[in-house]
Amino acid sequence: MLGICRGRRKFLAASLTLLCIPAITWLYLFAGSFEDGKPVSLSPLESQPHSPRYTASSQRERESLEVRVREVEEENRALRRQLSLAQGRAPAHRRGNHSKTYSMEEGTGDSENLRAGIVAGNSSECGQQPVVEKCETIHVAIVCAGYNASRDVVTLVKSVLFHRRNPLHFHLIADSIAEQILATLFQTWMVPAVRVDFYNADELKSEVSWIPNKHYSGIYGLMKLVLTKTLPPNLERVIVLDTDITFATDIAELWAVFHKFKGQQVLGLVENQSDWYLGNLWKNHRPWPALGRGYNTGVILLLLDKLRKMKWEQMWRLTAERELMGMLSTSLADQDIFNAVIKQNPFLVHKLPCFWNVQLSDHTRSEQCYRDVSDLKVIHWNSPKKLRVKNKHVEFFRNLYLTFLEYDGNLLRRELFGCPSEADVNSENLQKQLSELDEDDLCYEFRRERFTVHRTHLYFLHYEYEPASDHTDVTLVAQLSMDRLQMLEAICKHWEGPISLALYLSDAEAQQFLRYAQGSEVLMSRHNVAYHIVYKEGQFYPVNLLRNVAMKHVGTPYMFLSDIDFLPMYGLYEYLRSRSARGQRWRIPHFHSRSRGNKRKSVIQLDLANTKKAMIVPAFETLRYRLSFPKSKAELLSMLDMGTLFTFRYHVWTKGHAPTNFAKWRTATTPYRVEWEADFEPYVVVRRDCPEYDRRFVGFGWNKVAHIMELDAQEYEFIVLPNAYMIHMPHAPSFDITKFRSNKQYRICLKTLKEEFQQDMSRRYGFAALKYLTAENNS
């Protein structure tokens, strides 16, 4: 207690010094303005050389005085900065072996409230400050629905994690889309001392769907009203946040404000900073009733236990029913109803200083909430325009937001000092697997990559897919990094069906991709392309992990396993679904056409649904960056004869595609079967339940070969399609192939991994798998 009081006295001393310096300065000026007991005028008129009072002595005194004034003012500014920083940091004090964080929050930032805070703090109650225990869990509730809101939540969470020093428990009221995205994200993020629980927002719709609402957030904008019913009954308090919030301080400071609630106060809110509820924004503007300027619900402190005792559910429902008789609908969703309740019951509110919700919509008074960077606590982009909002300091706020938007989320996996994390099974298993590796092994980094958990954000952009009723739909599956981004538009033009892509990007690159996609008419016109971001970590390109991520989230019965640098022939999607692979001449179907009549479909004719088959799409390549893409098999054969096209990797890796038997394909009109051979790596169409790719293979080498070998081990038949083809487009060599060619140790480790994979195959598939060892030795 003594240490706390001493700290408080230091703070008060600095504060009083700050207040006294201006008075001392002006006293000094006043005293210095007398000469021989008479006042000396400092007016410009009397300071001129022709003035009787002007002398060399008085001029020197004046200059000396001005220098001193500037020095005092500079000291004054320095002390103000120190005081602001002291308030923002909320210093932790220790007493005995118990460590606590003391959070101070004085007024709204103006000098009167600052003085009032100092006077109040000068009492004998210096030990009764709001506290947050060092390892106390802070509970945060967020309503989130859809693809865009899921992206926004990530930036909010990053800003909270960046500043936090306490364990966090996120309560996410989410629809099925957001839950799938965020559950995967947090599971793969593996941030210590963070727990996440989901609550089904779709099940809560009936609670608020009766309320007419014109807000752009839709029905989900009303769900904060039912948090007392939704959240666990033993949860006493929670901070509720909108998804468009950015924290500029430790959230524990806001959690500490709960200790300031008095009497029947159960809601902590910041006053609305626009004139919306004053009703004078435009002619005939009629807002819902509110107390004064009303309150903004982007940041709410809820005392859940007291709200339940007050029968909050009944309170807000009765108020909403009564007001809707005259208002017909809400314009600001839950905020209108909260304000209507508060208008009738002002005692419910603990008014928060406005720096806890600096609102950046147009025409707000947000500038009154801060004077310096250290005054900022929470920034709220509460306008449909978001970052395009008009504000005097919008560039600063935008840059702060972009900092967290592009911040490397892997850096936020740090442990909390002195706070033990709850046991996590996935984390423990990972540590166990890593501990079993030999760090002195020259291939340690390769082996480690197999167990690396990469943070994954599924469905980074909006996605819509309607399953085909005939169960013949096929999804193109591929993976890419930033240097292959230019292939996306071309692939979308060549393949009209659903696509599942895994992109290996950093946080900053993910935002570059977002801007690229949003600026592309081709990509924005396609809603059946699923973009899954796998965030960069480690020194290798995890090619097979990426393929597995893209495969796992295919929503069709069949998949076309391709690579991003290949363009499928025009109409391949319809050919696979709607054209018989036997005895029919292939022609290009009309774009967006659908199968007509009773023509048999390739996947049905070959009975992929009930048999293990892999349909091979023959692969070719061109060395020309500009290619007149062949529109038929006949045109492709002509280009082969002219040397414009080649069979894929004919010059450098013949074994990879030679078993396709291109000579037979030239004249084939029906599907034909081929046998597996060593190093075979064709591109195939398979059922969605086919085996995953083996993650031990990273970067360049054997990643597809191992997968095809496993298909063969599971007795898949390889069937070559006679009227299908794909063409590899030229590009600069990847970083991984360069390492393979230049690094001997890389090649040695790849050979070791191949041998270990073959041994694993023998153990899994027994005697039949011995042929892989024999074939490898003979190749």
Side-chain angles (χ1 to χ4, degrees):
M1 182 67 71
L2 181 60
I4 297 171
C5 291
R6 284 176 177 170
R8 182 63 173 172
R9 284 200 296 272
K10 288 180 181 178
F11 179 80
L12 292 174
S15 305
L16 291 171
T17 302
L18 177 61
L19 294 173
C20 292
I21 281 176
I24 295 171
T25 302
W26 290 110
L27 184 61
Y28 180 77
L29 288 173
F30 187 70
S33 64
F34 283 81
E35 187 180 46
D36 297 329
K38 297 179 181 179
V40 177
S41 172
L42 296 179
S43 69
L45 179 63
E46 294 186 344
S47 300
Q48 299 303 317
H50 60 265
S51 170
R53 292 186 176 273
Y54 182 86
T55 64
S57 170
S58 63
Q59 178 65 11
R60 283 194 299 272
E61 288 179 6
R62 176 178 175 78
E63 291 172 352
S64 174
L65 182 61
E66 289 175 347
V67 169
R68 180 56 186 153
V69 167
R70 284 195 294 270
E71 289 175 351
V72 171
E73 288 176 345
E74 183 58 34
E75 291 173 4
N76 189 2
R77 283 194 292 270
L79 274 170
R80 284 184 182 276
R81 284 196 296 271
Q82 290 176 6
L83 184 58
S84 296
L85 290 173
Q87 286 179 289
R89 280 194 297 264
H93 303 274
R94 296 182 180 274
R95 182 173 66 89
N97 294 324
H98 302 282
S99 178
K100 298 181 180 179
T101 301
Y102 291 81
S103 179
M104 305 196 58
E105 172 236 345
E106 306 288 354
T108 58
D110 59 66
S111 57
E112 289 184 8
N113 283 320
L114 179 62
R115 292 189 184 96
I118 291 171
V119 171
N122 200 23
S123 69
S124 60
E125 298 178 352
C126 63
Q128 300 178 7
Q129 294 303 314
V131 299
V132 177
E133 296 290 342
K134 177 177 174 58
C135 295
E136 180 180 350
T137 299
I138 296 172
H139 294 266
V140 181
I142 305 169
V143 178
C144 178
Y147 302 97
N148 295 338
S150 298
R151 279 202 315 272
D152 294 338
V153 162
V154 178
T155 309
L156 162 59
V157 170
K158 280 184 181 179
S159 70
V160 173
L161 291 176
F162 181 84
H163 298 286
R164 66 105 178 213
R165 289 175 291 179
N166 286 72
L168 296 170
H169 188 165
F170 289 102
H171 302 266
L172 300 179
I173 297 85
D175 66 350
S176 57
I177 293 169
E179 181 171 354
Q180 182 185 14
I181 294 170
L182 296 174
T184 302
L185 178 67
F186 279 105
Q187 183 181 354
T188 54
W189 203 340
M190 298 177 70
V191 184
V194 170
R195 177 180 170 183
V196 182
D197 282 326
F198 290 91
Y199 308 83
N200 193 330
D202 294 328
E203 293 180 357
L204 300 173
K205 285 182 177 179
S206 60
E207 301 283 342
V208 293
S209 58
W210 58 273
I211 304 173
N213 175 34
K214 295 189 294 186
H215 193 255
Y216 62 84
S217 61
I219 193 170
Y220 299 100
L222 294 162
M223 295 208 171
K224 293 179 198 168
L225 294 166
V226 296
L227 289 180
T228 54
K229 188 175 181 180
T230 306
L231 298 177
N234 61 341
L235 183 60
E236 296 181 355
R237 60 189 64 181
V238 68
I239 297 173
V240 187
L241 303 173
D242 278 356
T243 58
D244 50 6
I245 291 287
T246 305
F247 266 77
T249 192
D250 188 349
I251 195 171
E253 295 181 41
L254 181 57
W255 186 256
V257 179
F258 274 117
H259 295 280
K260 294 194 168 203
F261 282 35
K262 298 177 181 178
Q264 293 182 290
Q265 292 177 344
V266 290
L267 303 170
L269 292 164
V270 171
E271 188 178 55
N272 201 46
Q273 290 158 25
S274 76
D275 291 343
W276 177 271
Y277 286 108
L278 299 181
N280 57 10
L281 288 181
W282 58 80
K283 189 177 180 181
N284 299 325
H285 173 219
R286 184 169 170 243
W288 275 55
L291 191 66
R293 305 189 68 85
Y295 292 91
N296 183 276
T297 56
V299 176
I300 317 175
L301 300 186
L302 287 184
L303 273 182
L304 295 170
D305 52 344
K306 285 191 175 182
L307 277 167
R308 293 183 183 109
K309 291 176 183 177
M310 289 180 175
K311 301 188 183 303
W312 167 254
E313 285 284 323
Q314 183 179 355
M315 188 183 298
W316 74 258
R317 284 176 183 274
L318 290 173
T319 301
E321 288 172 358
R322 182 180 63 254
E323 296 301 333
L324 283 170
M325 294 177 67
M327 297 302 301
L328 302 181
S329 70
T330 67
S331 295
L332 301 183
D334 66 88
Q335 184 169 300
D336 283 337
I337 297 174
F338 270 103
N339 274 288
V341 174
I342 292 168
K343 173 78 170 177
Q344 288 185 309
N345 309 280
F347 57 86
L348 296 176
V349 180
H350 175 84
K351 184 177 178 181
L352 300 176
C354 67
F355 51 60
W356 284 119
N357 186 349
V358 178
Q359 300 152 37
L360 297 181
S361 57
D362 289 340
H363 313 298
T364 68
R365 298 153 38 121
S366 59
E367 292 176 24
Q368 298 183 13
C369 299
Y370 56 86
R371 292 173 302 175
D372 196 79
V373 174
S374 58
D375 294 335
L376 295 171
K377 302 289 186 184
V378 173
I379 299 164
H380 185 189
W381 302 91
N382 65 320
S383 165
K385 299 179 185 177
K386 301 307 177 190
L387 300 189
R388 301 189 308 276
V389 71
K390 295 177 182 178
N391 183 280
K392 182 178 180 181
H393 301 113
V394 70
E395 279 302 316
F396 174 82
F397 295 125
R398 187 184 291 119
N399 289 334
L400 180 63
Y401 175 82
L402 293 176
T403 298
F404 291 114
L405 191 71
E406 301 185 356
Y407 189 83
D408 184 354
N410 297 330
L411 301 178
L412 297 169
R413 285 172 166 164
R414 62 182 183 269
E415 293 278 353
L416 287 183
F417 184 75
C419 292
S421 300
E422 291 184 17
D424 180 81
V425 176
N426 293 331
S427 181
E428 289 180 348
N429 289 340
L430 176 62
Q431 293 304 319
K432 183 176 182 296
Q433 290 168 334
L434 292 176
S435 67
E436 293 173 354
L437 298 178
D438 180 7
E439 294 189 19
D440 295 327
D441 182 356
L442 293 176
C443 299
Y444 170 77
E445 292 299 331
F446 283 85
R447 301 186 193 284
R448 189 181 191 281
E449 179 58 40
R450 184 178 184 180
F451 303 110
T452 300
V453 179
H454 290 265
R455 191 165 37 104
T456 303
H457 188 134
L458 304 177
Y459 302 104
F460 196 68
L461 296 179
H462 184 78
Y463 177 71
E464 286 181 21
Y465 164 71
E466 283 292 331
S469 58
D470 56 9
H471 306 293
T472 62
D473 222 343
V474 184
T475 297
L476 186 149
V477 173
Q479 42 71 38
L480 67 150
S481 54
M482 200 69 182
D483 58 340
R484 300 288 186 266
L485 209 58
Q486 74 280 359
M487 291 295 299
L488 291 180
E489 288 189 349
I491 284 180
C492 284
K493 292 176 181 177
H494 279 250
W495 179 273
E496 61 182 288
I499 302 174
S500 182
L501 299 173
L503 296 86
Y504 192 56
L505 306 172
S506 66
D507 292 77
E509 287 173 339
Q511 298 309 313
Q512 293 175 35
F513 159 69
L514 179 62
R515 291 191 289 271
Y516 171 81
Q518 291 176 338
S520 165
E521 291 184 12
V522 173
L523 300 188
M524 285 295 97
S525 66
R526 291 287 299 273
H527 300 299
N528 61 348
V529 181
Y531 302 96
H532 310 298
I533 307 296
V534 177
Y535 287 100
K536 285 184 175 180
E537 186 170 0
Q539 58 178 306
F540 295 105
Y541 184 76
V543 57
N544 279 354
L545 167 67
L546 297 172
R547 288 179 172 131
N548 291 340
V549 168
M551 285 170 56
K552 185 176 180 180
H553 298 95
V554 164
T556 59
Y558 308 102
M559 307 180 293
F560 173 31
L561 305 180
S562 183
D563 271 338
I564 198 67
D565 43 12
F566 277 88
L567 291 180
M569 72 180 195
Y570 288 111
L572 178 60
Y573 172 64
E574 286 296 338
Y575 171 78
L576 295 174
R577 296 185 59 238
S578 307
R579 290 285 155 197
S580 169
R582 175 180 298 169
Q584 288 193 14
R585 181 184 177 189
W586 175 80
R587 67 180 180 84
I588 303 174
H590 187 269
F591 197 67
H592 293 308
S593 67
R594 293 290 178 265
S595 57
R596 299 176 179 86
N598 296 318
K599 294 177 180 177
R600 301 176 69 187
K601 299 173 172 52
S602 300
V603 293
I604 294 178
Q605 180 195 359
L606 293 175
D607 198 21
L608 258 66
N610 302 304
T611 60
K612 290 184 175 180
K613 286 188 176 71
M615 300 194 304
I616 296 173
V617 178
F620 301 86
E621 70 176 334
T622 180
L623 303 180
R624 299 184 179 184
Y625 281 87
R626 293 190 177 184
L627 175 73
S628 177
F629 202 90
K631 295 180 174 61
S632 66
K633 178 177 179 178
E635 190 175 336
L636 180 140
L637 291 175
S638 175
M639 296 173 75
L640 275 174
D641 294 336
M642 293 172 58
T644 306
L645 291 178
F646 306 91
T647 56
F648 185 55
R649 291 293 183 258
Y650 172 78
H651 301 90
V652 295
W653 185 244
T654 307
K655 295 187 296 182
H657 294 264
T660 301
N661 195 346
F662 290 99
K664 183 173 182 176
W665 182 83
R666 293 179 68 101
T667 58
T669 57
T670 60
Y672 60 92
R673 180 176 176 177
V674 297
E675 297 295 328
W676 175 90
E677 295 179 23
D679 298 318
F680 194 25
E681 53 174 7
Y683 293 94
V684 295
V685 178
V686 290
R687 288 195 322 230
R688 184 174 56 188
D689 62 354
C690 84
E692 289 190 337
Y693 288 82
D694 195 290
R695 278 198 60 188
R696 82 186 77 197
F697 297 105
V698 294
F700 177 81
W702 246 63
N703 44 73
K704 292 192 298 292
V705 171
H707 187 246
I708 295 298
M709 184 182 290
E710 181 128 18
L711 292 181
D712 184 66
Q714 293 194 10
E715 300 181 344
Y716 274 72
E717 291 183 74
F718 296 102
I719 309 295
V720 180
L721 296 175
N723 293 313
Y725 58 85
M726 59 197 300
I727 299 177
H728 179 265
M729 306 305 291
H731 54 75
S734 68
F735 179 65
D736 295 281
I737 196 171
T738 303
K739 282 199 297 185
F740 172 81
R741 291 170 177 170
S742 62
N743 189 326
K744 182 180 179 180
Q745 186 59 45
Y746 193 110
R747 296 192 295 274
I748 291 173
C749 288
L750 178 59
K751 186 174 185 297
T752 301
L753 294 175
K754 286 166 56 176
E755 293 170 352
E756 292 175 357
F757 173 77
Q758 289 169 330
Q759 292 167 7
D760 289 346
M761 292 282 287
S762 297
R763 283 190 289 270
R764 275 184 287 168
Y765 300 106
F767 180 79
L770 291 177
K771 71 174 183 178
Y772 305 123
L773 291 171
T774 306
E776 180 66 21
N777 292 332
N778 293 335
S779 63

